Amino acid sequence: WRDVLRLTLTSPSGFNLQPTHIILLRSPAIKSTLSKNAMLGFGNQYRTVDASAIAVFCTDLEPTKRIDRIFEMERQSGMREDGYLAVLRVAASFLTGESNTLSNNGGRGSSTHLSSFFKQTFTKALSPVQPMPTMENVESWSYKNAGIMAQMYTLAATA
């Protein structure tokens, strides 16, 4: 299972923010509790108790809180160009929909709606002939990244 987790943690995410956390459950008592309280159907309950481990995927709905740490790791690695590092903080928070760094509201909430408005406006303006993909809010972005990591986990486990 360590190899599977190691491979899973290499899953891509926007701006390498890695908003997904994995909790690996191996305790029979915890698996039994999970089986009784969260699994529908006898088959799922049996598999939960019978499995050697259960991976629970959790997503961070405030990924911009980790931007400073990611920025510092990227800077120390020396693997990113200065141009990438120059826009990392603003672009990552804008694209995840949080954009607190762009907010001028004195800390009274985020500018999520403003960020979403700008993304949708620019998308519509830049795609007069063909519609562009729908812009996401931070929850959708985080859940999508958790789904990608869960898929990577499944691929690694079956490889």
Side-chain angles (χ1 to χ4, degrees), residues 81-132:
E81 296 178 9
D82 290 341
Y84 176 88
L85 293 174
V87 300
L88 174 63
R89 287 183 172 116
V90 173
S93 55
F94 181 78
L95 292 174
T96 61
E98 286 188 287
S99 257
N100 288 330
T101 58
L102 298 176
S103 178
N104 191 18
N105 60 12
R108 295 181 307 276
S110 73
S111 59
T112 301
H113 300 296
L114 183 60
S115 172
S116 296
F117 170 76
F118 281 130
K119 288 189 289 186
Q120 291 170 354
T121 300
F122 289 129
T123 298
K124 288 178 185 175
L126 296 173
S127 60
V129 177
Q130 180 178 355
M132 300 288 283

Side-chain angles (χ1 to χ4, degrees), residues 31-139:
K31 291 189 306 179
S32 177
T33 301
L34 178 68
S35 170
K36 292 174 187 167
N37 295 309
M39 296 296 150
L40 298 175
F42 176 75
N44 290 332
Q45 292 173 349
Y46 172 77
R47 285 187 216 56
T48 301
V49 173
D50 188 51
S52 60
I54 299 291
V56 178
F57 293 84
C58 306
T59 193
D60 183 355
L61 298 179
E62 297 177 327
T64 55
K65 288 183 176 180
R66 55 181 73 230
I67 289 176
D68 289 336
R69 183 175 57 103
I70 298 296
F71 175 85
E72 197 54 38
M73 289 173 28
E74 295 280 17
R75 188 185 63 73
Q76 288 177 1
S77 75
M79 307 250 331
R80 296 290 186 176
E81 296 178 9
D82 290 341
Y84 176 88
L85 293 174
V87 300
L88 174 63
R89 287 183 172 116
V90 173
S93 55
F94 181 78
L95 292 174
T96 61
E98 286 188 287
S99 257
N100 288 330
T101 58
L102 298 176
S103 178
N104 191 18
N105 60 12
R108 295 181 307 276
S110 73
S111 59
T112 301
H113 300 296
L114 183 60
S115 172
S116 296
F117 170 76
F118 281 130
K119 288 189 289 186
Q120 291 170 354
T121 300
F122 289 129
T123 298
K124 288 178 185 175
L126 296 173
S127 60
V129 177
Q130 180 178 355
M132 300 288 283
T134 303
M135 303 312 273
E136 304 170 317
N137 60 25
V138 68
E139 291 86 4

